[in-house]
């Protein structure tokens, strides 16, 4: 496999799949969080400094037509130029008709293509036709053929393909996977960002030092079940928090009031607990909780044992005893993976548990542990607590990270690594 580190881009046109799907301020239209732009910079810089030309392509949002100004990548040019220099970005209004601009691009220059998802070919999902329509499958087949053409068109702009968009690596899209078919092994590679992501995840999956603790939170068990299953073969401790707690508590016969619960996953919760027992994995559930009388930032609150939630109340955060138990386990771990908040951390009244866990993960890192944080909400919690540089790695890909940790083959990774 070709590595970016020892590739010389001099004189090459390089098409780079980046993840510029950045949030925009609704009022000003400005980029409100440029983390993803910064994430792509090392790869862009290497191409330019080597003396190559970079053609950047990305999606943004979920446009349904072409063009769709609300989702135009033109809006983010100033944010990219903040790091690459004023006036440094050329722009192609139509990503599928950029031949002339790509051909005219000189070494050291950067061309940004308009939002790839203006074309349904990018995702290969037919538009304007419902999935249950009998004609849907035929439409999808027809579009797949066009997707290959679209990918070839994108490939025709460049000599080399670099994928640096980890957030979309779990999708078999034109720009993330299909395009790789047009390049031989020595002309396609991962960018620095994907390399870092893979390194961090492989470290956790294959070289974890014990004790290895997985902290799983968030709303639903069903979203995390495959990751939990895969991790049960690897971890010594599985900490469970957030809304998914209550499916486990109910499965164990506890009283959960009106807390979130997936009734159809009670057996699954029991199976996980049984499997963990067989494998010698310690499952640590919260013992107490902060309850609310409604799902509201200004709700009345009380604290109870997690399995004695009063009728009409719902558990929205872990409480002090649970925090203490979780902290002890985390700070004594040598490997930690965290995905999903411990409570409804978006509301101040229910953010304490998640913040405490963020700090405990930072402390474990200071103690020498390797710590990996992924999933939009846990990343937001780490950022909110200003701890991003106090943990080992913060993943940029929520869904992609979960699928990788499930042990799945991601199309965007396979397309390059094989
Ligand atoms: P996920 O995307 O599955 O990681 O879930 C994140 C969401 O779970 C966040 O928006 C949290 O507000 C929510 N969440 C966490 N704990 C709870 C809880 N106890 N009850 C309801 N929602 C929760």
């Amino acid at each position: 496999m070709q590595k970016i580190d020892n590739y010389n881009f001099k004189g090459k046109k390089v098409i780079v799949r980046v993840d510029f799907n950045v949030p925009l301020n609704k009022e000003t239209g400005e980029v409100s969080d440029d983390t993803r732009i910064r994430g792509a910079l090392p790869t862009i810089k290497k191409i330019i400094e080597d003396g190559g030309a970079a053609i950047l392509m990305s999606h943004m949002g979920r446009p349904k037509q072409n063009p769709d100004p609300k989702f135009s990548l033109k809006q983010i040019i100033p944010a990219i130029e903040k790091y690459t220099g004023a006036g440094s970005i050329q722009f192609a209004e139509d990503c599928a008709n950029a031949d002339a601009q790509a051909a005219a691009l000189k070494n050291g220059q950067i061309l940004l293509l308009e939002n790839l998802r203006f074309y349904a070919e990018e995702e290969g999902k037919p538009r304007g036709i419902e999935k249950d329509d009998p004609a849907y499958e035929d439409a999808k087949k027809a579009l797949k053929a066009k997707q290959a053409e679209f990918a070839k068109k994108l490939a025709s702009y460049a000599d080399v393909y670099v994928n640096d968009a980890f957030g979309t690596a779990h999708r078999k899209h034109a720009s993330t996977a299909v395009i790789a078919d047009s390049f031989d092994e020595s002309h396609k590679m991962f960018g620095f960002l994907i390399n870092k992501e893979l390194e961090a995840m492989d470290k956790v999956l294959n070289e974890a030092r014990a004790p290895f603790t997985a902290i799983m939170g968030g709303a639903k068990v069903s979203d995390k079940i495959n990751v939990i299953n895969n991790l049960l073969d690897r971890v010594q401790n599985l900490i469970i928090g957030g809304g998914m707690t209550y499916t486990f508590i109910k499965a164990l016969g506890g009283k959960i009031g009106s807390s979130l619960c997936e009734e159809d996953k009670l057996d699954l919760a029991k199976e996980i607990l049984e499997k963990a027992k067989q494998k010698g994995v310690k499952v640590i559930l919260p013992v107490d909780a902060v309850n609310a009388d409604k799902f509201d930032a200004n709700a009345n609150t009380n604290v109870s044992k997690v399995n004695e939630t009063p009728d009409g109340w719902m558990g929205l955060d872990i409480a002090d005893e649970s925090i203490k138990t979780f902290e002890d386990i985390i700070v004594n771990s040598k490997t930690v993976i965290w995905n999903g908040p411990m409570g409804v951390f978006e509301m101040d009244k229910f953010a304490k548990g998640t913040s405490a866990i963020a700090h405990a993960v930072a402390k474990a890192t200071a103690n020498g542990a390797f710590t990996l944080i992924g999933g939009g909400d846990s990343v937001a919690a780490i950022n909110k607590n200003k701890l991003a540089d106090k943990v080992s790695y913060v993943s940029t890909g929520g869904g992609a990270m979960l699928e990788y940790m499930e042990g799945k083959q991601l199309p965007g990774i396979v397309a390059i690594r094989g």
Side-chain angles (χ1 to χ4, degrees):
M1 190 180 73
Q2 181 63 54
K3 293 266 189 197
I4 188 168
D5 315 66
N6 52 24
Y7 192 87
N8 188 350
F9 291 103
K10 192 170 172 24
K12 301 277 188 220
K13 290 211 168 89
V14 190
I15 188 148
V16 192
R17 178 47 158 107
V18 290
D19 182 2
F20 283 170
N21 181 31
V22 292
L24 299 179
N25 182 310
K26 280 196 186 76
E27 268 126 53
T28 62
E30 281 169 15
V31 173
S32 54
D33 182 346
D34 65 4
T35 312
R36 286 178 172 157
I37 293 175
R38 284 186 283 115
L41 288 175
T43 295
I44 300 171
K45 275 204 178 131
K46 155 99 174 136
I47 295 167
I48 298 306
E49 282 167 12
D50 274 2
I55 302 166
L56 309 179
M57 58 175 174
S58 176
H59 76 286
M60 182 158 80
R62 298 182 184 279
K64 294 278 177 281
Q65 61 200 37
N66 183 16
D68 192 340
K70 220 171 60 205
F71 297 109
S72 173
L73 283 174
K74 206 180 223 171
Q75 304 171 89
I76 70 164
I77 291 176
I80 310 174
E81 289 191 333
K82 185 172 151 196
Y83 299 102
T84 55
S88 59
I89 304 292
Q90 300 179 30
F91 186 70
E93 305 267 354
D94 183 349
C95 64
N97 282 298
D99 312 59
Q101 277 172 289
L105 202 65
K106 297 203 172 62
N107 294 336
Q109 293 185 328
I110 305 172
L111 172 66
L112 172 67
L113 304 184
E114 180 57 289
N115 195 341
L116 296 162
R117 287 196 190 166
F118 281 5
Y119 285 87
E121 284 88 339
E122 164 63 358
E123 294 180 277
K125 258 196 258 159
R127 288 185 183 155
I129 176 164
E130 296 299 324
K131 269 201 176 136
D132 52 4
D133 191 314
Y136 183 85
E137 281 310 314
D138 281 345
K140 197 167 167 186
K141 248 192 228 152
L143 189 58
K144 281 279 168 196
K146 285 171 80 184
Q147 183 183 55
E149 288 309 309
F150 180 69
K152 274 191 192 136
K153 187 62 187 270
L154 296 171
S156 73
Y157 302 151
D159 310 301
V160 184
Y161 167 62
V162 176
N163 188 359
D164 212 13
F166 182 66
T168 46
H170 57 318
R171 305 282 180 228
K172 191 173 178 182
H173 292 169
S175 68
T176 60
V178 185
I179 187 174
D181 293 343
S182 298
F183 296 88
D184 64 28
E185 285 235 340
S186 55
H187 292 88
K188 57 184 167 191
M189 65 199 82
F190 298 127
F192 290 114
L193 181 64
I194 286 202
N195 275 344
K196 270 200 305 189
E197 296 275 356
L198 294 178
E199 209 177 285
M201 289 185 305
D202 287 339
K203 196 163 172 169
V204 161
L205 286 177
N206 307 324
E207 302 163 28
R209 282 181 301 144
F212 179 2
T213 300
I215 313 162
M216 291 287 140
K220 294 184 185 164
V221 191
S222 46
D223 292 342
K224 312 272 160 91
I225 179 65
N226 294 328
V227 188
I228 293 178
N229 266 326
N230 198 22
L231 289 174
L232 282 180
D233 289 325
R234 295 175 158 83
V235 301
Q236 282 72 50
N237 304 307
L238 170 63
I239 291 179
I240 290 174
M244 73 164 88
T245 303
Y246 291 94
T247 305
F248 285 91
I249 299 297
K250 183 152 184 193
L252 290 168
K255 268 185 65 194
I256 63 164
S258 49
S259 305
L260 198 68
C261 179
E262 289 172 277
E263 295 288 343
D264 59 336
K265 295 290 179 295
L266 296 174
D267 286 341
L268 188 73
K270 278 190 209 150
E271 273 168 37
I272 293 176
L273 295 173
E274 187 50 41
K275 194 169 163 193
K277 203 165 155 194
Q278 280 166 15
K279 291 184 180 287
V281 176
K282 202 167 150 198
V283 177
I284 308 101
L285 283 157
V287 287
D288 54 358
V290 179
N291 306 312
D293 59 352
K294 54 179 183 262
F295 192 85
D296 190 284
N298 299 313
N300 294 308
T301 62
N302 65 28
V303 172
S304 74
K305 285 196 171 157
V306 75
N307 55 2
E308 289 176 12
T309 317
D311 287 340
W313 293 72
M314 60 184 85
L316 295 187
D317 195 11
I318 54 174
D320 290 348
E321 213 183 313
S322 310
I323 291 177
K324 170 109 197 25
T325 310
F326 289 7
E327 279 172 346
D328 281 347
I329 292 168
I330 294 166
V331 300
N332 288 305
S333 298
K334 285 277 168 276
T335 308
V336 178
I337 167 165
W338 178 24
N339 184 296
M342 296 290 102
V344 183
F345 77 110
E346 299 93 333
M347 303 178 190
D348 285 346
K349 277 190 178 177
F350 312 109
K352 186 176 166 191
T354 302
S355 289
I357 295 315
H359 282 278
V361 173
K363 202 164 166 195
T365 320
N367 289 346
F370 184 81
T371 55
L372 170 61
I373 289 87
D377 285 318
S378 4
V379 175
I382 282 283
N383 287 337
K384 196 170 151 189
N385 287 282
K386 301 200 172 14
L387 294 171
D389 57 351
K390 303 254 179 330
V391 296
S392 307
Y393 194 72
V394 178
S395 175
T396 57
M401 174 183 160
L402 280 180
E403 289 197 16
Y404 197 86
M405 299 306 283
E406 284 169 17
K408 277 196 192 154
Q409 298 285 335
L410 312 191
I413 302 302
V414 176
I416 287 176
R417 194 159 69 177

